[in-house]
Amino acid sequence: MSIFYDKEKRLFKLDTSDSTYVIGIYEENYILGLYYGAKIPDMNFGGFCKRLPSASFSLANPVIGETGFTPDTAPMEYGCNGAADFRISALCIKNAAGDRVTDIRYVGHRIFDGKKAIPGLPSTYANSPDEAQTLEIDAVDSVTGALVTLVYTVFNNSPVMTKSVRVRNTSQNTMWIERVYSACFDFVSMDFDLITIYGRHAKERNINRRPLGHGVQGVESKRGVSSHAQNPFAALARHTATEDSGEVYGFNFVYSGNFSALAECDFNDTTRFIMGINPTDFEWTLNPDDTFYAPEVVCVYTDKGIGEMSRIFHRFYNSNLIRGRFKTEKRPLLINSWEAAYFDFDTEKLLAFADVAKQLGIEMLVMDDGWFGHRDDDRSSLGDWYVNTKKLPGGLKPLIDGVHGKGLKFGIWYEPEMISPDSDIYRAHPDWIIHVENRQPMVGRHQYIADMSRQDVRDNIWNQMNDTLSKNDIDYVKWDFNRNISDAGSALLPKERKGEFFHRFILGTYELMERFTSTYPDILLEGCSGGGGRFDPGILYYSPQIWTSDNTDAVDRLDIQFGTSLCYPASCMGAHVSASTRTGYETKGRVAMWGTFGYELDPRKLTDEEREIVKQQVKDYHKYYWLHRNGDLYRVISPFEDKHKAAWEIVSQDKSEMLFTLVCMRQETNASLFIRFKGLDPEKYYVCEQDGETYSGAFLMNAGLNLTNKANADGESLTLYFKEK
Ligand code: DGJ
């Protein structure tokens, strides 16, 4: 049993493998969040409910009296708007009278084994009912009639808890949800740093760590997608927490649209943290009996540092988020045509790529953008998903048969949510794009966005895709999305529902993705958005891998991959060797090997020497495949902390093997380098493949190895592989 309810004390205790979360029901049925942290056996939380009120300026509930309890300072489990809790609120509902005061109180609960899916939304799952337990707390706002259900699942085998919320209108009148965050936490102190990952196109997911200060701070997206700019991830780490030690709380929102992650430190030096759908441009009309489902937040607690937080996310996503055949099956080593040819290809050229690729040991050819409509550049044809027979005479069949005939698998590119102004679909249905009446919609990469909130638009796109996919033997699809959303509006949404547009767009996208994955479970899907602009757990639920960045330079990739690894596993991180020139092919291969690994170049242009390197990389790829797929990541030298070197390890779960990679970004003169390795078994002995020596795990982790002058020139790198003796 992981969830206990103490009826006398009215306390819930939710245990994961290594953390405890405690919720209390206080007088007048206020729901309080009393504790989140390391596992504790008991629940002696009586004193936690009251904190110092600020004289008459912190307001009291007259039924309870001015006894020291005030919603202003109490650890509210799900802070609501306007009823004397003045901090950032998780919920605000406007009722038929136009009032926004929202005040929910406990009315009941359920505890059950396993975890339920959230209708229409991606979410993590339990592999069996005994892997997790769920608590649903019902709380009612007696004035509006909103029934708010706070949903918690705790996992037995990892320190992961998920939180989500649903709101049902039990009244006779319409109500409007103005904000509904998915998770709210009140911590009793503010000695935290906020860690987030920000970026831009080709420079995704840089790590930002800053101490919390009084007031509100945080990150958000209003771009209609999770975005390059900020990722829906945030961690609260104690000031003293490091990569390898200290308390860290990690939060990741399973959602691909507008999000908000905010921390507020108040006058009592406490911290409220909330994460959920961004309330900007959001308003949801809830008619009697309607239910709104808010997406879930994955919450990780550890007292073993930021690195351990990452490993917990990685293991959890590999086993409880990623779905389908390729969750466990080996994925093909691919070569993608984009950086090799851009729009300039035809059947003959692609078959020539396939010939050389086959000789090199590559297993799949992916035809990227440019195969449909009359798309010879990025100015046309999105939405016209039929083959350009000028480039591919006879259609896809001769190409696919040719590729398959050479023993390679075949993949194709789509950008389903986009419509070019120069397209048949737009000419026939100008109202199918996202737009607002009387306003000229903005363009991005010369394209508009299909109105995914509309069933007819989704059906049209699906029918076109399905026509191609059902008639051809396609093994892989890359699903791209190359701009942000502005002019957010739909021709079909009535005035009173316009605030629903952004969320309906995402629900429509998920519906289409679900149709795809359920109709074609054998096709490997790779998410993409101008590189990594939609790299989030929502997309990961549908596609087990996501293209990490359009920047394939091995040195730039270090930042991108280190940042991405804060919460996303190597198994999903699309990483290719390209013809970029800053480093040699060895280093490009070592960096890409961390992720899903593949090539993005014209293989005919490789020199003989480069071909030999590629052949060796293909061997290494197979040798280390399962280590990368299932191993634990240890970040050893972060490029965000060291200007010269970056290093990381992948250690197998049973600690019997480890691959260490060191990359020199910029030569450092006269610097010595000793590496103390991490994550090994001190009792085991390991043979290092490169120097032939045997070392104990204890030696490697405490004394370490002297790597001075190894891989010390710009762009150089090395790997060391250790195997248990
Ligand atoms: C952006 C992607 O990130 C690239 O890999 C490529 O697919 C282009 N779009 C094609 O337009």
Side-chain angles (χ1 to χ4, degrees):
M1 269 249 299
S2 335
I3 301 181
F4 310 87
Y5 178 55
D6 183 330
K7 224 173 162 178
E8 303 256 294
K9 293 181 175 162
R10 302 219 295 170
L11 288 177
F12 297 95
K13 181 166 179 289
L14 294 82
D15 286 337
T16 70
S17 61
D18 295 300
S19 67
T20 294
Y21 189 74
V22 178
I23 301 164
I25 310 302
Y26 191 62
E27 287 173 44
E28 286 302 297
N29 293 319
Y30 281 105
I31 309 169
L32 306 182
L34 297 173
Y35 176 75
Y36 186 26
K39 208 161 181 172
I40 50 172
D42 43 351
M43 297 201 279
N44 205 356
F45 280 98
F48 274 57
C49 304
K50 292 176 194 167
R51 298 204 199 134
L52 208 57
S54 178
S56 57
F57 293 96
S58 286
L59 310 172
N61 179 320
V63 181
I64 300 175
E66 301 191 33
T67 60
F69 172 84
T70 164
D72 193 12
T73 59
M76 306 299 281
E77 175 56 19
Y78 192 64
C80 295
N81 182 65
D85 177 350
F86 296 98
R87 291 161 289 184
I88 42 174
S89 62
L91 183 70
C92 177
I93 293 177
K94 186 172 78 176
N95 68 6
D99 297 320
R100 288 189 171 80
V101 178
T102 308
D103 191 358
I104 60 168
R105 310 292 177 87
Y106 170 86
V107 289
H109 71 269
R110 294 163 294 285
I111 295 171
F112 54 87
D113 288 344
K115 183 175 192 291
K116 287 186 195 158
I118 307 175
L121 286 166
S123 59
T124 61
Y125 55 86
N127 290 288
S128 64
D130 58 1
E131 195 187 18
Q133 262 198 332
T134 298
L135 164 68
E136 294 188 346
I137 294 181
D138 289 333
V140 161
D141 181 335
S142 58
V143 174
T144 60
L147 168 62
V148 179
T149 303
L150 307 174
V151 185
Y152 309 81
T153 298
V154 280
F155 288 79
N156 300 326
N157 46 11
S158 63
V160 173
M161 169 173 69
T162 59
K163 278 193 175 190
S164 68
V165 173
R166 62 176 184 264
V167 182
R168 191 160 80 85
N169 184 350
T170 63
S171 78
Q172 305 300 315
N173 303 310
T174 298
M175 59 179 71
W176 292 268
I177 303 174
E178 297 203 329
R179 56 166 58 207
V180 54
Y181 279 78
S182 296
C184 175
F185 293 88
D186 278 358
F187 294 97
V188 296
S189 72
M190 58 178 280
D191 64 331
F192 290 113
D193 290 340
L194 175 65
I195 302 175
T196 54
I197 34 185
Y198 72 97
R200 57 179 185 264
H201 178 244
K203 199 177 182 343
E204 292 89 341
R205 287 173 295 285
N206 302 276
I207 299 173
N208 186 274
R209 180 172 180 165
R210 53 187 140 151
L212 289 185
H214 286 95
V216 179
Q217 55 244 275
V219 293
E220 62 173 24
S221 169
K222 290 185 287 190
R223 294 168 178 270
V225 287
S226 48
S227 89
H228 296 86
Q230 294 289 351
N231 195 268
F233 163 84
L236 292 175
R238 296 286 177 202
H239 295 317
T240 49
T242 66
E243 179 70 12
D244 301 310
S245 69
E247 276 194 306
V248 187
Y249 300 83
F251 307 101
N252 203 189
F253 193 31
V254 188
Y255 191 60
S256 311
N258 289 344
F259 73 90
S260 157
L262 301 175
E264 178 173 10
C265 301
D266 71 355
F267 58 84
N268 261 349
D269 298 343
T270 68
T271 302
R272 169 166 294 172
F273 176 80
I274 56 175
M275 185 177 248
I277 293 177
N278 195 332
T280 303
D281 288 334
F282 173 86
E283 186 186 64
W284 197 272
T285 303
L286 210 59
N287 286 324
D289 258 347
D290 279 359
T291 301
F292 180 85
Y293 295 88
E296 83 178 9
V297 174
V298 177
C299 317
V300 165
Y301 167 80
T302 180
D303 57 8
K304 298 185 184 61
I306 298 159
E308 184 64 10
M309 173 203 70
S310 299
R311 288 184 288 279
I312 294 165
F313 272 116
H314 298 170
R315 289 186 211 122
F316 185 66
Y317 285 172
N318 280 333
S319 85
N320 298 79
L321 176 64
I322 291 170
R323 301 179 300 163
R325 177 177 156 188
F326 293 99
K327 171 181 175 178
T328 48
E329 210 170 282
K330 196 169 178 181
R331 305 186 201 145
L333 197 177
L334 67 85
I335 185 162
N336 179 296
S337 68
W338 182 241
E339 287 191 38
Y342 297 102
F343 297 100
D344 179 20
F345 60 81
D346 55 19
T347 304
E348 204 184 321
K349 192 188 260 189
L350 292 175
L351 288 176
F353 285 176
D355 267 335
V356 187
K358 180 66 189 169
Q359 290 160 21
L360 297 171
I362 292 167
E363 297 164 327
M364 178 160 74
L365 177 83
V366 175
M367 175 176 63
D368 209 279
D369 193 356
W371 60 269
F372 49 91
H374 59 100
R375 190 155 164 99
D376 293 323
D377 56 31
D378 59 10
R379 290 177 175 267
S380 83
S381 304
L382 295 166
D384 295 346
W385 300 109
Y386 41 81
V387 181
N388 177 339
T389 46
K390 275 199 194 134
K391 287 185 185 177
L392 310 176
L396 287 174
K397 196 167 174 348
L399 171 64
I400 298 179
D401 287 352
V403 172
H404 283 161
K406 293 178 201 301
L408 266 73
K409 293 181 183 302
F410 178 80
I412 199 169
W413 179 96
Y414 275 99
E415 196 175 358
E417 295 112 308
M418 295 294 161
I419 290 184
S420 300
D422 176 8
S423 65
D424 295 343
I425 196 173
Y426 182 66
R427 282 182 282 273
H429 303 283
D431 66 328
W432 279 12
I433 62 160
I434 293 180
H435 69 286
V436 166
E437 225 179 314
N438 297 327
R439 282 187 195 280
Q440 171 65 49
M442 298 286 152
V443 281
R445 209 191 185 207
H446 319 288
Q447 61 203 51
Y448 297 138
I449 308 180
D451 181 355
M452 299 296 287
S453 70
R454 289 176 65 152
Q455 179 80 41
D456 53 353
V457 174
R458 295 198 302 273
D459 286 349
N460 177 289
I461 296 166
W462 173 248
N463 291 340
Q464 291 194 61
M465 289 175 79
N466 197 27
D467 190 52
T468 300
L469 297 172
S470 62
K471 291 183 183 144
N472 294 284
D473 196 359
I474 289 171
D475 304 290
Y476 162 106
V477 164
K478 179 172 168 187
W479 186 309
D480 210 341
F481 185 98
N482 282 300
R483 58 160 288 183
N484 291 151
I485 301 179
S486 65
D487 309 285
S490 165
L492 291 196
L493 274 183
K495 186 167 133 244
E496 61 281 8
R497 288 196 177 267
K498 287 201 190 284
E500 301 177 11
F501 177 75
F502 275 116
H503 186 56
R504 285 187 182 276
F505 178 86
I506 295 297
L507 291 177
T509 296
Y510 289 150
E511 191 266 336
L512 195 65
M513 288 188 169
E514 188 64 38
R515 270 202 243 186
F516 177 93
T517 54
S518 54
T519 314
Y520 296 103
D522 292 333
I523 296 185
L524 173 59
L525 185 63
E526 177 150 357
C528 179
S529 173
R534 211 161 56 168
F535 206 116
D536 60 62
I539 296 297
L540 209 44
Y541 179 76
Y542 301 98
S543 63
Q545 54 194 59
I546 306 177
W547 182 228
T548 310
S549 176
D550 278 345
N551 188 338
T552 49
D553 172 85
V555 172
D556 288 346
R557 270 281 177 144
L558 294 169
D559 281 2
I560 295 167
Q561 295 182 186
F562 266 77
T564 302
S565 77
L566 270 196
C567 56
Y568 302 108
S571 72
C572 75
M573 209 161 63
H576 298 168
V577 172
S578 74
S580 62
T581 51
R582 184 143 43 141
T583 70
Y585 274 87
E586 282 96 345
T587 295
K588 290 192 270 196
R590 285 174 182 139
V591 174
M593 202 77 72
W594 178 353
T596 59
F597 198 68
Y599 291 87
E600 182 113 4
L601 44 74
D602 182 342
R604 301 169 307 174
K605 294 187 179 153
L606 292 167
T607 63
D608 288 347
E609 195 192 333
E610 288 164 351
R611 282 186 191 206
E612 290 314 307
I613 298 172
V614 169
K615 282 184 188 162
Q616 183 56 45
Q617 284 170 349
V618 170
K619 279 191 198 141
D620 287 346
Y621 163 82
H622 290 295
K623 175 173 171 186
Y624 301 129
Y625 185 83
W626 293 110
L627 180 57
H628 281 110
R629 260 297 277 279
N630 299 327
D632 276 333
L633 170 75
Y634 288 84
R635 293 177 291 252
V636 180
I637 306 174
S638 165
F640 293 102
E641 283 157 22
D642 191 310
K643 285 202 290 283
H644 304 279
K645 298 245 161 62
W648 64 98
E649 296 171 7
I650 311 283
V651 183
S652 63
Q653 295 288 336
D654 64 359
K655 298 188 184 294
S656 67
E657 51 176 340
M658 181 267 270
L659 181 69
F660 167 81
T661 307
L662 171 72
V663 179
C664 177
M665 302 175 290
R666 191 187 306 162
Q667 181 160 5
E668 192 177 14
T669 343
N670 297 334
S672 57
L673 179 68
F674 288 81
I675 296 287
R676 295 166 77 198
F677 299 92
K678 302 180 184 181
L680 299 170
D681 182 341
E683 309 281 321
K684 286 192 196 313
Y685 279 82
Y686 298 87
V687 180
C688 174
E689 196 175 72
Q690 282 68 22
D691 68 9
E693 298 285 342
T694 299
Y695 307 94
S696 68
F699 181 94
L700 290 168
M701 291 195 291
N702 293 299
L705 293 183
N706 182 356
L707 299 183
T708 304
N709 282 335
K710 302 266 164 59
N712 200 31
D714 292 11
E716 271 187 9
S717 62
L718 66 80
T719 51
L720 298 175
Y721 176 59
F722 298 85
K723 186 136 178 76
E724 186 181 357
K725 200 170 175 184

